[in-house]
């Protein structure tokens, strides 16, 4: 890639020596470009700043004030508190920093601070700043039209240093930005976005808050667009390069299954099926994501799709994330297909000896028409006679690589349908699965009894246990779920294990309890789960491993401890485990009654719509957290965009990207040279993940 001045190490910028460069590197800033894209975390102007006289106790505020006096006060507990009296035209207030006596050396009388934090009452009103910046001494006098920017800072590189680095370098950096511009003037105007250099200038030195937002939208578009380009390439590679299978529909199996079903398909199921049929009949590979809420009836949809493949003489495979789920699918599907004379085969890892040989033979000879299995289907020893359709259930449990591995080995180009029971907002699906076409099951079959959801505090635990005992007495079963933040979080695991002992000995003596968590060997998990499914256990004490797909209609209680620690979508998955049988079902959340958690949980209690819950979850937790920290970590793909606020940009980005890739798939045109270079340098690893490049 052509070298740009922006690629040079920050170390060579004014005011950054080798030592500071190291500190910046620890914040993820290595090059001049990284610095330029280190954008302010917040903006303050006259509209966000409160005159000191108007500060009300209990409110989060931002103030600007001059330090009138200051000092460290000791307390009886040994805690040392730095205090400064801040003054503006309207009045004075004490600012207090408990435990930070060293600030006494940093601040001097006359300094002008911009500080934000809560106002408390403590011998009078005082503000306890969570963060502050020191403005230059004359800044407060020209408050009028000014906007103050605060950058994400670190202990090593505090706010004032960052601001100074920008002050001495921003003009120069901005001059280099046109090197990075990848859009033509005409394209840019069609999209209604500012130049890249204008955008970055607006971001770092906005004249007003609307300017800053205009600049941000340009960066947001860029990152969404680049990701969509990568996905449009993957989509083209998957669907358009080379012919796919054009499945032939005869209705030989589809019609009798319709007649045999004990229920009507929902409107959503019929709609989604017509999308899938149409796609499968095209001479192009299907690459489709089917999203549906828990219990929306995805399995039946999958089954019809598999029958379409069978009618034209093709095999199909349904891959589930666990053996229990594979067996569950098998039971449901086998009973429906046996009367039609369609041959169903199961292949899982625990299948051994003669049974396994038989299954492999049926897959290889083509006598197995519908194949249901687990990861075992991916192994090299499995060779299909003519796989025409692969369906991946609960797709977030599999990597893209795994489904690619299976597809690559086939001599033809089978259609792909991935199914997900984690309803994610359309915008999120577009951003992260832009390579897939989207079908959505947004309707539950009629007659479902809603699960009654209740919030309880820990003090009410005994009465909750009592309720669970009466349910067990009536022959029902219950799940008790404990949080497990990540696999390595031993503390939480201990909680589930310890609780299991306590519950067994003290709370439910005489009942049959099982323990299920992620660190047990797979075989033991399967044993426990099948025992619960058979009704040989009354109570299942578990972590979130019960979240996915399991169907035990006799279970009527889902009791979740520390519910505030779960995402709403995760809670929704858990709640979906009950309410599957004739009995009235209950989801009881035990919650530490603190903070904002209960606002989230109230939304969950009052809604049964997985998509609505997912949107609320995304809004309240932010997209970084949405998938859990493990998946995106500290380097989120999307830094500047907000998938709720920027949905219009996302739609625009996808449309633009698909249009470009349809005419210039490898970005070889001279107009796309810079775009191609930028994407290659920024998304190298993602390109591999999407199977492009
Ligand atoms: P999920 O989408 O969570 O995988 P399933 O496919 O397991 O849901 O379906 C849940 C239950 O709903 C199954 O018992 C299934 O037989 C039933 N079901 C599916 N479609 C319908 C329908 N249209 N009407 C009534 N029940 C249905
Ligand atoms: Mg399912």
């Amino acid at each position: 890639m052509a070298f740009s001045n922006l690629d040079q190490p920050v170390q060579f910028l004014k005011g950054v020596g080798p030592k500071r460069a190291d500190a910046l590197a620890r914040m993820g800033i290595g090059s001049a470009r990284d610095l330029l894209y280190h954008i302010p975390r917040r903006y303050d102007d006259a509209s966000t700043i409160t005159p000191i006289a108007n500060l009300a106790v209990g409110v989060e505020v931002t103030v600007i004030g001059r330090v009138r006096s200051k000092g460290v006060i000791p307390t009886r507990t040994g805690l040392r508190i730095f205090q400064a009296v801040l003054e503006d035209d309207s009045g004075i207030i004490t600012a207090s920093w408990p435990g930070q006596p060293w600030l006494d050396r940093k601040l001097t009388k006359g300094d002008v601070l911009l500080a934000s934090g809560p106002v408390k009452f403590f011998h009078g009103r005082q503000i306890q700043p969570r963060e502050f910046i020191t403005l230059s001494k004359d800044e407060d006098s020209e408050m009028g039209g000014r906007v103050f920017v605060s950058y994400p800072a670190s202990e090593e590189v505090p706010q004032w240093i960052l601001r100074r680095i920008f002050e001495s370098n921003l003009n120069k950096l901005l001059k280099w930005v046109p090197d990075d511009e990848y859009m033509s003037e005409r394209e840019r105007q069609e999209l209604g976005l500012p130049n890249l250099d204008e955008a970055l200038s607006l971001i770092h030195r906005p004249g007003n808050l609307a300017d800053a937002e205009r600049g941000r939208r340009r960066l947001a578009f860029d990152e969404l667009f680049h990701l969509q380009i990568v996905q449009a390439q993957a989509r083209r590679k998957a669907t358009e390069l080379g012919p796919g299978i054009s499945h032939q529909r005869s209705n030989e199996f589809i019609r009798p299954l319709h007649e045999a079903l004990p229920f009507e398909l929902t409107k959503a199921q019929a709609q989604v099926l017509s999308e899938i049929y149409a796609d499968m009949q095209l001479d192009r590979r299907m690459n489709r994501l089917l999203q549906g809420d828990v219990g929306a009836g995805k399995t039946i949809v999958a089954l019809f799709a598999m029958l379409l493949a069978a009618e034209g003489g093709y095999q199909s495979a349904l891959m589930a994330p666990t053996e229990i789920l594979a067996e569950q699918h098998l039971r449901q599907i086998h009973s429906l297909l046996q009367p039609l004379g369609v041959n169903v085969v199961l292949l899982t890892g625990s299948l051994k000896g003669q049974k396994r040989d038989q299954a492999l033979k049926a897959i290889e000879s083509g006598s197995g028409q519908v194949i249901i299995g687990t990861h075992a289907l991916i192994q090299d020893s499995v060779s299909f006679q003519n796989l025409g359709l692969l369906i991946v259930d609960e797709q977030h449990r599999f990597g893209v690589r795994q489904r690619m591995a299976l597809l690559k080995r086939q001599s033809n180009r089978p259609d792909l349908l991935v199914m997900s029971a984690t309803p994610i907002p359309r915008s999120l699906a577009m951003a992260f699965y832009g390579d897939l076409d989207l079908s959505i099951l947004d309707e539950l079959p009629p007659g479902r009894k809603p699960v009654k959801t209740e919030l309880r505090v820990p003090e009410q635990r005994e009465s909750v246990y009592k309720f669970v005992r009466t349910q067990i007495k009536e022959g029902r079963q219950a799940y008790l779920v404990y949080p497990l933040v990540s696999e390595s979080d031993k503390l939480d695991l201990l909680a589930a294990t310890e609780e299991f002992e306590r519950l067994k000995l003290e709370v439910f003596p005489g009942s049959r309890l099982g323990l299920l968590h992620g660190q047990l060997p797979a075989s033991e998990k399967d044993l426990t789960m099948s025992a619960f499914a058979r009704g040989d256990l009354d109570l299942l004490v578990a972590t979130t491993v019960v979240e996915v797909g399991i169907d035990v209609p006799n279970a009527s209680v889902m009791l979740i401890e520390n519910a505030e620690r779960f995402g709403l979508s995760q809670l929704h998955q858990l709640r979906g485990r009950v309410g599957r049988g004739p009995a009235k079902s209950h989801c009881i959340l035990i919650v530490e009654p603190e903070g904002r958690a209960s606002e989230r949980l109230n939304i969950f209690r009052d809604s049964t719509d997985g998509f609505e819950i997912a949107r609320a979850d995304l809004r309240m937790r932010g997209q970084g957290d949405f998938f859990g920290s493990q998946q995106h970590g500290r380097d989120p793909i999307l830094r500047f965009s907000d998938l709720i606020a920027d949905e219009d940009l996302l739609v625009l980005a996808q449309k633009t990207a698909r249009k470009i890739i349809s005419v210039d798939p490898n970005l070889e045109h001279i107009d796309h040279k810079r775009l191609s270079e930028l994407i290659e340098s920024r998304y190298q690893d993602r390109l591999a993940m999407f199977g492009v490049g």
Side-chain angles (χ1 to χ4, degrees):
M1 168 162 143
F3 182 83
S4 151
N5 275 319
L6 290 173
D7 291 317
Q8 66 177 287
V10 270
Q11 187 180 331
F12 302 125
L13 298 178
K14 215 186 285 174
V16 189
K19 240 180 97 189
R20 195 151 283 157
D22 283 346
L24 284 167
R26 283 187 280 277
M27 297 168 72
I29 301 172
S31 66
R33 184 183 291 102
D34 294 341
L35 181 68
L36 203 51
Y37 279 81
H38 188 71
I39 74 168
R41 187 164 38 89
R42 57 177 287 159
Y43 295 98
D44 286 292
D45 74 351
S47 72
T48 62
I49 286 166
T50 314
I52 287 177
N54 301 351
L55 298 182
V57 173
V59 181
E60 288 272 337
V61 297
T62 303
V63 299
I64 291 184
R66 191 179 296 276
V67 176
R68 207 164 88 155
S69 59
K70 54 152 202 162
V72 173
I73 47 173
T75 60
R76 262 184 296 162
T77 58
L79 179 72
R80 304 207 308 147
I81 302 177
F82 173 68
Q83 288 196 335
V85 174
L86 301 180
E87 169 185 51
D88 70 3
D89 292 343
S90 71
I92 62 169
I93 188 165
T94 302
S96 198
W97 286 265
Q100 299 180 55
W102 45 271
L103 281 175
D104 197 29
R105 274 170 297 158
K106 293 246 149 148
L107 296 178
T108 51
K109 215 173 124 180
D111 278 348
V112 177
L113 306 186
L114 174 103
S116 21
V119 180
K120 305 203 168 163
F121 192 86
F122 205 74
H123 306 301
R125 290 179 317 162
Q126 64 168 232
I127 178 170
Q128 294 192 352
R130 280 190 222 291
E131 55 183 10
F132 72 96
I133 54 183
T134 315
L135 307 176
S136 60
K137 308 231 181 230
D138 51 359
E139 266 179 309
D140 70 326
S141 54
E142 36 172 315
M143 184 62 223
R146 278 201 56 127
V147 177
F148 297 100
V149 301
S150 313
Y151 291 97
S154 71
E155 212 146 286
E156 293 175 299
V157 191
Q159 199 56 240
W160 66 274
I161 298 227
L162 276 167
R163 286 159 57 90
R164 211 167 63 186
I165 295 175
F166 276 111
E167 246 155 60
S168 22
N169 295 286
L170 188 61
N171 286 341
K172 185 169 68 185
L173 293 178
L174 288 173
K175 284 212 192 78
W176 295 335
V177 171
D179 287 355
D180 269 9
E181 183 61 84
Y182 63 89
M183 278 193 238
S184 71
E185 195 57 23
R186 191 177 48 81
E187 287 170 319
R188 193 181 66 68
Q189 279 176 4
E190 269 173 27
L191 294 166
L193 296 167
N195 273 326
L196 196 49
D197 54 345
E198 189 192 345
L200 283 158
S201 167
L202 291 172
I203 283 172
H204 289 286
R205 282 180 190 152
N208 53 53
L209 297 186
D211 274 358
E213 169 62 7
R214 219 155 63 77
R216 183 200 64 84
R217 277 175 63 86
R218 167 66 208 256
L219 299 199
F221 177 83
D222 284 358
E223 67 182 7
L224 292 170
F225 175 64
H226 293 165
L227 196 58
Q228 287 301 320
I229 285 277
V230 173
Q231 296 182 338
Q233 287 177 314
R235 177 170 180 269
R236 191 185 128 82
K237 203 166 164 191
T239 62
E240 280 152 35
L241 285 184
I245 299 167
S246 110
H247 291 273
Q248 300 299 316
R249 178 169 173 181
S250 68
N251 279 332
E252 178 191 355
F253 303 130
I254 291 177
R255 182 164 310 132
L257 180 64
H258 267 295
E259 281 158 10
L261 276 187
F263 47 73
E264 290 280 306
L265 292 184
T266 63
K267 244 202 229 119
Q269 282 171 319
Q271 166 63 29
V272 158
L273 263 179
S274 71
E275 291 166 10
I276 293 172
Y277 288 158
D279 212 355
M280 286 178 67
Q281 286 169 326
L282 286 181
D283 176 23
R284 158 198 107 129
R285 167 185 276 178
M286 174 166 77
N287 202 38
R288 186 169 285 275
L289 170 64
L290 170 60
Q291 271 202 44
D293 211 341
V294 214
K298 290 184 291 296
T299 315
I300 295 293
V301 170
L303 182 54
F304 275 109
M306 292 170 99
L307 288 183
L308 176 58
E311 286 182 357
Y314 283 96
Q315 294 174 297
S316 51
L318 172 58
M319 186 159 76
T322 64
E323 300 214 346
I324 303 166
L325 283 177
E327 281 159 17
Q328 199 172 286
H329 284 316
L330 180 78
R331 275 194 300 277
Q332 201 185 346
I333 287 174
H334 186 72
S335 67
L336 288 166
L337 292 195
Q338 203 173 24
L340 308 186
V342 177
N343 189 17
V344 185
V345 172
L346 177 74
L347 185 74
T348 62
S350 65
L351 210 60
K352 293 273 145 54
Q354 210 188 346
K355 278 193 166 163
R356 180 181 156 80
D357 291 344
Q358 260 171 14
L360 287 176
K361 216 172 269 160
I363 294 172
E364 197 166 346
S365 71
S367 73
Q369 292 159 286
V370 166
I371 292 108
I372 297 177
T374 56
H375 289 85
L377 290 172
I378 301 177
Q379 290 156 9
D380 290 335
S381 50
V382 183
S383 101
F384 290 90
Q385 212 258 327
N386 61 351
L387 184 66
L389 170 67
L390 171 66
I391 301 180
V392 182
D393 193 17
E394 310 296 354
Q395 77 99 27
H396 61 286
R397 289 290 174 111
F398 295 98
V400 177
R401 281 173 219 281
Q402 285 169 310
R403 70 181 195 229
M404 287 292 180
L406 209 169
L407 289 176
K408 271 217 180 98
R409 281 215 316 278
Q410 312 309 319
S411 53
N412 51 16
R413 293 166 48 81
D415 284 338
L416 174 70
L417 179 68
V418 299
M419 308 200 293
S420 170
T422 312
I424 60 176
R426 182 176 273 275
S427 57
L428 212 61
M430 272 177 74
F432 292 104
Y433 305 114
D435 57 326
L436 300 169
D437 291 310
L438 199 55
S439 286
I440 294 183
L441 275 183
D442 53 5
E443 179 187 4
L444 293 183
R448 290 278 160 82
K449 289 193 203 100
V451 176
K452 184 154 194 237
T453 304
E454 291 162 276
L455 306 189
R456 294 282 181 268
V457 293
E459 290 69 38
Q460 294 169 300
R461 204 177 266 123
E462 281 312 316
S463 72
V464 172
Y465 287 153
K466 204 165 137 195
F467 173 73
V468 175
R469 279 192 292 265
T470 62
Q471 291 281 304
I472 293 177
K473 215 177 253 159
E474 287 171 27
R476 304 270 103 79
Q477 291 161 279
Y479 298 94
L480 268 66
V481 176
Y482 291 85
L484 180 74
V485 173
S486 77
E487 292 288 324
S488 65
D489 196 338
K490 296 249 163 53
L491 274 179
D492 283 317
L493 188 57
L494 211 67
T497 318
E498 277 176 353
E499 281 297 296
F500 175 68
E501 294 303 324
R502 184 181 75 86
L503 293 165
K504 207 163 115 175
L505 296 174
E506 296 168 24
V507 186
F508 301 104
S511 295
R512 299 161 301 170
L513 277 70
L515 175 65
L516 195 66
H517 61 70
Q519 301 192 357
L520 294 172
S523 56
E524 199 174 327
K525 274 191 278 194
D526 274 4
L527 278 179
T528 306
M529 204 53 239
S530 348
F532 188 69
R534 277 195 312 271
D536 291 350
L537 294 173
D538 304 307
L539 263 164
L540 192 62
V541 177
T543 59
T544 51
V545 288
V546 292
E547 189 184 313
V548 169
I550 212 71
D551 191 24
V552 182
N554 189 47
S556 65
V557 181
M558 171 59 67
L559 171 57
I560 303 169
E561 291 276 358
N562 289 111
E564 72 279 358
R565 302 189 58 175
F566 295 88
L568 296 190
S569 295
Q570 210 175 10
L571 289 175
H572 183 65
Q573 285 286 311
L574 289 168
R575 181 167 60 185
R577 301 301 115 222
V578 295
R580 301 181 152 243
K584 171 122 199 76
S585 291
H586 304 262
C587 177
I588 306 170
L589 311 181
I590 299 194
V591 186
E592 296 289 343
E594 291 239 326
R596 254 162 52 90
S598 50
E599 188 191 331
R600 286 173 52 225
L601 296 176
N602 285 340
I603 293 178
F604 171 73
R605 180 193 56 202
D606 299 337
S607 175
T608 55
D609 178 342
F611 287 96
E612 185 183 317
I613 288 169
R615 266 192 307 276
D617 210 11
L618 178 61
R619 200 170 54 239
M620 303 188 77
R621 289 203 305 162
Q623 59 211 27
D625 268 3
F626 191 84
F627 286 114
S629 55
Q630 286 160 333
Q631 287 188 34
H632 291 285
R634 286 171 140 267
D635 170 33
I637 314 174
L638 300 178
R639 289 174 55 200
F640 309 113
S641 52
D642 170 334
L643 291 176
I644 290 175
D646 297 333
E647 193 158 349
D648 61 324
L649 282 181
L650 185 55
V651 172
L652 198 61
Q654 184 169 83
K655 209 174 90 195
T656 313
R658 287 187 174 181
K659 200 166 85 193
I660 287 179
I661 293 308
S662 73
V663 296
D664 183 16
N666 300 314
L667 299 179
E668 284 157 345
H669 192 278
I670 183 76
D671 287 352
H672 299 142
K673 183 161 176 289
R674 189 63 193 150
L675 174 62
S676 159
E677 288 174 348
L678 284 173
I679 288 179
E680 198 154 301
S681 70
R682 287 185 196 168
Y683 293 91
Q684 244 157 11
D685 49 335
R686 316 264 179 228
L687 296 181
M689 179 178 126
F690 285 109
V692 179

